[in-house]
Amino acid sequence: NVKKGYTGVFYERFIKGNWVAAEGTIYKDFADAPQKYTLDAAPDDIAFCTLGMDFGGNGSAHAIVCTGYSRGLKKIIVVDEYYRKEVISPLQLERDTVDFVRRCKSKYKITDMYCDSAEQVLIKGIKGALAREKIPINVHNARKGVIIDRIRFTCLMMAAGRFFVVKNCKHLIEAFSGAVWDGKKLDDTRLDDGSVNIDSLDAFEYSIEPYMKRILQLYFGGGRE
């Protein structure tokens, strides 16, 4: 059971005892066999969803991810996404966000959205747009915890068979398949030079951060948040 909790570089380190450098594909199991983690449609046992949003600029994309949780937080299932890389106005972003939130809330119970705290002006505009459209949702600043903790948690959920993505989330699937370690850094750092889609990964991680600690305590005996 312990072995099943680790994949990739973490398996080499914590199971085999080889303190290897983090290099190559981060989510190797996902990249090698995405069919293990993808679903044709969302399952019926989703209790609620959260939204995570990352803002674009300087070549990056605006991304929103809708992440569902099964009863008891046993499984994480990404059910929908928004992704737009071209330059758009703040007003267009507000309209797109309203449309996406409305679509997700029409299918799932959603009360909270977590946005990249670096863009307070954009967040204020989105809050105003949602309020004007009378769409009830709590918009928070994302916690933006240590990235390696977010990566380790996701790898743990994948290894435990508790993580899935619905096939319509093509950009996130591409992001998981293409994420690599930065070979130029001595510490465990995800490559973020514009060559891979980090925006969808950030949005996803913002959506799961509030529940990471609770899930670890429930099913894996604790751990860092």
Side-chain angles (χ1 to χ4, degrees):
N1 287 335
V2 173
K3 287 182 178 180
K4 291 178 181 178
Y6 295 95
T7 60
V9 66
F10 304 117
Y11 187 90
E12 288 290 331
R13 291 176 180 175
F14 303 128
I15 300 302
K16 291 186 175 181
N18 300 323
W19 199 254
V20 297
E23 57 184 4
T25 305
I26 295 176
Y27 304 104
K28 189 175 186 305
D29 287 359
F30 188 101
D32 289 345
Q35 67 275 7
K36 289 171 52 180
Y37 305 96
T38 53
L39 305 173
D40 291 329
D44 296 329
D45 62 343
I46 291 177
F48 69 97
C49 293
T50 55
L51 300 176
M53 183 169 191
D54 189 48
F55 298 106
N58 297 323
S60 60
H62 298 297
I64 313 175
V65 169
C66 182
T67 301
Y69 301 84
S70 66
R71 296 180 184 90
L73 302 177
K74 290 182 178 180
K75 292 181 292 184
I76 291 176
I77 308 100
V78 180
V79 296
D80 207 347
E81 68 171 2
Y82 164 85
Y83 183 90
R84 191 159 182 175
K85 195 165 186 176
E86 66 267 29
V87 177
I88 59 174
S89 68
L91 181 59
Q92 184 61 57
L93 180 61
E94 291 170 16
R95 291 171 178 164
D96 288 357
T97 303
V98 165
D99 290 344
F100 182 77
V101 174
R102 181 184 285 120
R103 183 174 84 206
C104 292
K105 283 181 68 69
S106 70
K107 301 176 183 177
Y108 307 102
K109 176 184 177 182
I110 304 174
T111 59
D112 297 286
M113 179 176 181
Y114 300 88
C115 302
D116 184 353
S117 57
E119 299 289 350
Q120 290 299 312
V121 173
L122 293 179
I123 292 175
K124 183 176 180 180
I126 286 170
K127 284 182 177 180
L130 291 167
R132 288 192 297 274
E133 295 296 325
K134 295 181 172 56
I135 300 176
I137 189 166
N138 301 310
V139 180
H140 312 272
N141 288 331
R143 298 188 180 190
K144 298 182 75 170
V146 180
I147 293 176
I148 189 63
D149 288 347
R150 289 145 47 179
I151 292 173
R152 287 183 63 181
F153 174 80
T154 304
C155 287
L156 183 63
M157 294 300 288
M158 287 181 178
R162 297 177 182 270
F163 171 82
F164 302 94
V165 185
V166 177
K167 289 180 180 178
N168 64 287
C169 301
K170 296 179 180 179
H171 294 286
L172 185 61
I173 292 171
E174 176 190 42
F176 277 120
S177 298
V180 294
W181 298 108
D182 189 339
K184 296 180 180 179
K185 301 290 181 64
L186 294 176
D187 57 352
D188 296 344
T189 303
R190 184 166 59 195
L191 182 65
D192 186 6
D193 64 354
S195 64
V196 290
N197 176 11
I198 299 301
D199 312 302
S200 293
L201 293 177
D202 281 339
F204 163 70
E205 290 164 2
Y206 298 158
S207 75
I208 64 171
E209 279 187 304
Y211 295 96
M212 283 168 48
K213 184 175 181 180
R214 191 183 305 179
I215 291 171
L216 289 172
Q217 290 173 338
L218 283 172
Y219 300 109
F220 302 101
R224 294 180 62 183
E225 185 171 356

